[in-house]
Amino acid sequence: MSSAPVYGARVAVVGAGISGLASAYLLARRYDVTLFEAADYPGGHTNTVDVTLDGVTHPVDTGFLVLNDRTYPNLIKLFEELNVATHPSDMSFSVSLDDGRLEWAGSDLNTVFAQRRNIFSPSFIGMLRDIVRFNSSAQRHLDMAETTGCSLNELLLQGGYGITFRNNYLLPMSSAIWSSAAADILNFPAATFLRFCVNHGLLQVRNRPQWRTVVGGGREYVGRMIRQIPGLRLNSRVLGISRNAGSVSILTASGAEQFDAVIMATHAPDSLRMLANPDRREQAILGAVRYQKNTAVLHTDASLLPRRRRVWSAWNYLGANAAGASRPVCVSYLLNQLQPLPFSTPLVVTLNPIEPPAPEKLLSSFEYAHPILDLHAIAAQTQLSSLQGLNGTWHVGAWTGYGFHEDGLKSALRIAKSFGVSPEWAKL
């Protein structure tokens, strides 16, 4: 990693998601920081909006929703530093396939067998057996996958797991977590997949982490951070970045400005497009990371939840079928269960709805993009250190880890440390 500029130097940060916000927030203590954001709000996936229902107006989150007390240690400490309160959240999960032909949820036996006929279904009982076997074998599978480098699909085939387990449990759960199509999930490195699931307690019944949501919505932490970033510029899309000996030129619609360094906090392919004359390493590493574009629709249409109310969960996977699905994932987040909301009307965010909500129940829609952590992306992560500081350019983002808020923050903490700024609470 190349050396950082001297204290007081001008540093540009491009992108005001969690990675860019954290980079600017930390470096503003020692550097002259300008944070460029193309959108008209800071936060990226942290996008809180006010909703009026049942005669009450309240903030709700539409992108970043939850964190937990075990695998988000840096985010927890950042929130403590910012005096941001959190509230316990529910992370229950359901699956609804083929317009309700098969529905189940994992909360208890009543929801597992929400369709009583499944008590007598050999394929459904086989799926439950495979779930128990897969979960109990997770560490053994992880050890094997780290040695062989196999994909998740290869691991499932080698393990003899049934098609019902794959299509009615593992792929729906994984697609919902990573907001990726099932076909892309199958190409994930099995080691990455299992390591995440083990660390997050997703494959155990007891001692799971407590998930939490931000009181007042994620904009509470964003607002506290931007008050410490005087150089924030919204509606300032970066059109190009030129690097010369000892300086970086940032081009926007307002013209070109000179900086001593730039931190790219944008999606990897977007970063590559902005860089004038990228070298071969930048082209290879940044170009290896693909993204899934997802439309998030905020609405009150209960038809985009499972047909059986007893199955309703915080996360609800909806699909025609999961087998080899290449269409974008469809998952409905029941916000009333995820956040402490004062609404009795079900309030839902659905990613990529199979059918659009009724027009009178549509509140808003948003576009997000999530990294696809396939073999190429994971390989790019291992080579990223060779880019840091190259031509005065550093890279941060959730794509450098598992794709979540903690990963974006951790990447910013790493770069801040190389710039001589590191809070005592940072865990790298």
Side-chain angles (χ1 to χ4, degrees):
M1 182 180 292
S2 300
S3 60
V6 298
Y7 288 166
R10 296 198 73 200
V11 177
V13 180
V14 182
I18 178 61
S19 306
L21 281 172
S23 298
Y25 169 77
L26 294 166
L27 296 188
R29 304 171 186 184
R30 300 282 186 91
Y31 297 87
D32 179 4
V33 175
T34 300
L35 175 58
F36 295 90
E37 170 54 49
D40 60 1
Y41 72 95
H45 285 204
T46 303
N47 187 6
T48 309
V49 299
D50 290 321
V51 171
T52 301
L53 281 178
D54 307 327
V56 180
T57 300
H58 196 81
V60 300
D61 285 321
T62 64
F64 164 66
L65 294 169
V66 291
L67 66 154
N68 71 57
D69 56 2
R70 183 187 304 169
T71 58
Y72 288 67
N74 290 302
L75 198 58
I76 291 287
K77 288 297 185 180
L78 174 64
F79 285 0
E80 290 178 1
E81 180 173 294
L82 297 171
N83 196 28
V84 170
T86 62
H87 187 279
S89 182
D90 171 25
M91 281 290 282
S92 55
F93 178 70
S94 78
V95 175
S96 177
L97 297 177
D98 293 341
D99 199 27
R101 177 189 57 81
L102 173 67
E103 291 190 335
W104 71 284
S107 300
D108 52 41
L109 285 177
N110 186 44
T111 62
V112 169
F113 294 106
Q115 293 172 283
R116 298 301 190 244
R117 68 174 183 269
N118 286 331
I119 296 174
F120 308 102
S121 168
S123 64
F124 192 85
I125 298 302
M127 178 191 77
L128 298 181
R129 290 196 184 108
D130 272 349
I131 291 174
V132 173
R133 180 164 68 94
F134 185 82
N135 292 357
S136 63
S137 302
Q139 188 59 54
R140 178 171 60 83
H141 286 330
L142 176 57
D143 294 340
M144 182 272 290
E146 287 180 332
T147 300
T148 65
C150 65
S151 69
L152 179 60
N153 187 48
E154 290 168 335
L155 183 144
L156 295 177
L157 292 173
Q158 293 169 13
Y161 291 99
I163 196 75
T164 303
F165 164 80
R166 188 186 77 169
N167 291 350
N168 297 353
Y169 166 69
L170 194 66
L171 288 183
M173 179 188 72
S174 309
S175 297
I177 290 172
W178 275 282
S179 303
S180 296
D184 289 319
I185 294 293
L186 289 171
N187 290 323
F188 275 28
T192 300
F193 174 88
L194 289 165
R195 196 177 303 113
F196 175 86
C197 290
V198 169
N199 291 344
H200 284 71
L202 298 178
L203 303 180
Q204 60 195 58
V205 176
R206 296 183 177 88
N207 195 32
R208 289 187 173 185
Q210 173 63 60
W211 290 87
R212 310 188 68 84
T213 187
V214 179
V215 176
R219 69 181 178 196
E220 289 296 319
Y221 88 76
V222 173
R224 286 166 169 78
M225 293 181 81
I226 63 174
R227 284 197 284 273
Q228 306 298 320
I229 308 171
L232 172 64
R233 298 186 191 176
L234 300 176
N235 297 300
S236 296
R237 181 178 300 278
V238 172
L239 304 175
I241 299 173
S242 301
R243 283 92 43 95
N244 302 299
S247 70
V248 176
S249 178
I250 307 293
L251 178 65
T252 67
S254 300
E257 289 183 71
Q258 302 303 310
F259 294 87
D260 298 295
V262 61
I263 296 175
M264 304 299 297
T266 46
H267 299 324
D270 295 335
S271 298
L272 182 58
R273 282 193 293 271
M274 288 183 224
L275 296 176
N277 300 317
D279 80 354
R280 291 181 179 179
R281 280 176 293 175
E282 290 170 327
Q283 292 174 356
I285 295 172
L286 300 177
V289 185
R290 297 185 297 128
Y291 282 74
Q292 170 68 56
K293 292 183 179 179
N294 294 303
T295 300
V297 179
L298 180 64
H299 62 90
T300 59
D301 192 341
S303 71
L304 287 170
L305 290 168
R307 293 288 176 264
R308 296 159 182 82
R309 187 157 189 147
R310 78 178 69 165
V311 176
W312 287 11
S313 302
W315 295 42
N316 304 273
Y317 177 93
L318 310 176
N321 65 67
S326 58
R327 81 172 304 279
V329 60
C330 177
V331 56
S332 284
Y333 306 94
L334 184 54
L335 298 182
N336 309 67
Q337 289 189 214
L338 282 163
Q339 300 176 254
L341 301 180
F343 310 134
S344 57
T345 299
L347 181 62
V348 184
V349 168
T350 300
L351 281 191
N352 311 309
I354 296 173
E355 297 292 337
E360 68 275 11
K361 296 183 178 181
L362 172 64
L363 300 177
S364 192
S365 64
F366 313 91
E367 297 295 329
Y368 300 117
H370 299 83
I372 299 172
L373 299 182
D374 57 16
L375 293 167
H376 299 293
I378 299 303
Q381 290 179 2
T382 65
Q383 302 169 48
L384 179 60
S385 61
S386 68
L387 294 190
Q388 303 294 23
L390 181 66
N391 295 322
T393 308
W394 281 259
H395 300 271
V396 296
W399 68 270
T400 66
Y402 292 112
F404 299 96
H405 243 55
E406 178 73 9
D407 304 294
L409 174 57
K410 184 182 284 188
S411 72
L413 287 164
R414 289 195 189 101
I415 296 305
K417 183 178 181 180
S418 72
F419 275 62
V421 181
S422 186
E424 293 182 356
W425 47 260
K427 292 187 177 181
L428 302 179

